[in-house]
Amino acid sequence: MKKWLFAIGLIILLLGAIVFYNKLYYPTLPMESINKKEVIEKLNDSNEQIVKLSDENGYEWYIISERNTNVADEITKKMVIQHGWIFKRKDGSGLFFDKQGKILIVTTQKWTTDYTLVKIPSHFNY
């Protein structure tokens, strides 16, 4: 009987650890169309510096696996510039670009110490 109780307790403990790791280990995401597990899987499956996560509410969301905020900003600028935008300035977490008189504001935010989320209006690649 003690073996059964021990086995059941161990199973409950393992299930609790799995739930904790998947649900609580990473902070919440500011988007609803993708979950934390999918984000990590996309990062692990890609060799790119910046990985597209989703299109949601008129924005494209990307993630960069980089601790240094300045490096993450440079990766973001490089991607946006490839679509014909000209970088103008950085103000807080916003990167400001210009293209034929139109202004594009790209925002970044640290998701964890190792990951930066990038939010770009969907019209940026037109």
Side-chain angles (χ1 to χ4, degrees):
M1 184 65 152
K2 287 183 182 181
K3 290 181 183 180
W4 282 101
L5 289 175
F6 178 76
I8 291 171
L10 186 59
I11 290 170
I12 291 171
L13 183 65
L14 288 173
L15 288 174
I18 290 169
V19 168
F20 174 77
Y21 179 76
N22 287 331
K23 299 288 183 190
L24 302 175
Y25 181 72
Y26 292 108
T28 58
L29 288 163
M31 66 211 82
E32 297 176 3
S33 60
I34 190 168
N35 64 44
K36 301 171 197 178
K37 183 179 177 185
E38 291 170 320
V39 168
I40 299 303
E41 286 173 356
K42 280 190 174 199
L43 275 169
N44 291 337
D45 292 344
S46 177
N47 293 326
E48 301 296 321
Q49 290 181 307
I50 186 166
V51 178
K52 185 174 182 179
L53 297 177
S54 71
D55 289 309
E56 188 173 294
N57 300 324
Y59 293 95
E60 293 183 12
W61 286 91
Y62 295 83
I63 192 164
I64 300 169
S65 178
E66 176 59 54
R67 285 180 167 251
N68 186 323
T69 304
N70 293 329
V71 173
D73 287 347
E74 291 302 318
I75 292 168
T76 303
K77 288 191 281 189
K78 181 180 175 183
M79 181 187 71
V80 175
I81 287 169
Q82 289 176 350
H83 291 280
W85 293 91
I86 298 168
F87 176 71
K88 292 297 181 182
R89 72 181 194 283
K90 179 179 178 172
D91 189 4
S93 65
L95 302 171
F96 292 78
F97 297 86
D98 180 75
K99 181 180 184 182
Q100 300 172 349
K102 295 180 182 177
I103 296 174
L104 177 74
I105 303 171
V106 176
T107 56
T108 61
Q109 67 184 74
K110 291 298 273 183
W111 182 44
T112 68
T113 305
D114 297 322
Y115 304 115
T116 300
L117 295 172
V118 181
K119 180 181 176 184
I120 305 175
S122 295
H123 66 79
F124 92 97
N125 54 8
Y126 299 137

